Amino acid sequence: VWVREPSIDEILPGQLEVRVHCVGLNFRDVLKARGMYPHMRRFAQFDKDQPYEDRDTVLGFDFMGSVVRVNNPDSCLKPG
């Protein structure tokens, strides 16, 4: 379920806020939902038992959107 969250008042230095317009779910997301990503992970092994670099369990990582706020004056990204 996708739920709209209210915007927070402040973003931390170096962060940005993006208004997501659409997300892509692919086969990698199917594997994540079944606990089988990355391919060397044993079935149903918990994320906490994985090396830090293999803890990619969030679904819908690919997205398209518009930058709303940037809290980094040196960033090439600008709102809009």
Side-chain angles (χ1 to χ4, degrees), residues 44-76:
Q45 187 176 22
F46 293 113
D47 206 40
K48 65 180 178 62
D49 298 329
Q50 290 294 309
Y52 184 74
E53 63 273 4
D54 291 338
R55 294 182 183 184
D56 183 17
T57 57
V58 178
L59 301 179
F61 186 74
D62 301 322
F63 70 92
M64 191 235 7
S66 301
V67 175
V68 177
R69 293 188 291 174
V70 180
N71 193 359
N72 182 357
D74 300 326
S75 176
C76 64

Side-chain angles (χ1 to χ4, degrees), residues 11-63:
I11 56 175
L12 297 175
Q15 288 188 334
L16 60 95
E17 181 180 355
V18 176
R19 179 178 295 122
V20 177
H21 298 289
C22 62
V23 295
L25 297 176
N26 55 39
F27 188 65
R28 181 180 68 177
D29 296 311
V30 173
L31 293 176
K32 289 178 187 181
R34 298 197 63 205
M36 300 170 65
Y37 181 85
H39 67 278
M40 67 285 278
R41 180 181 289 191
R42 288 181 281 140
F43 182 73
Q45 187 176 22
F46 293 113
D47 206 40
K48 65 180 178 62
D49 298 329
Q50 290 294 309
Y52 184 74
E53 63 273 4
D54 291 338
R55 294 182 183 184
D56 183 17
T57 57
V58 178
L59 301 179
F61 186 74
D62 301 322
F63 70 92

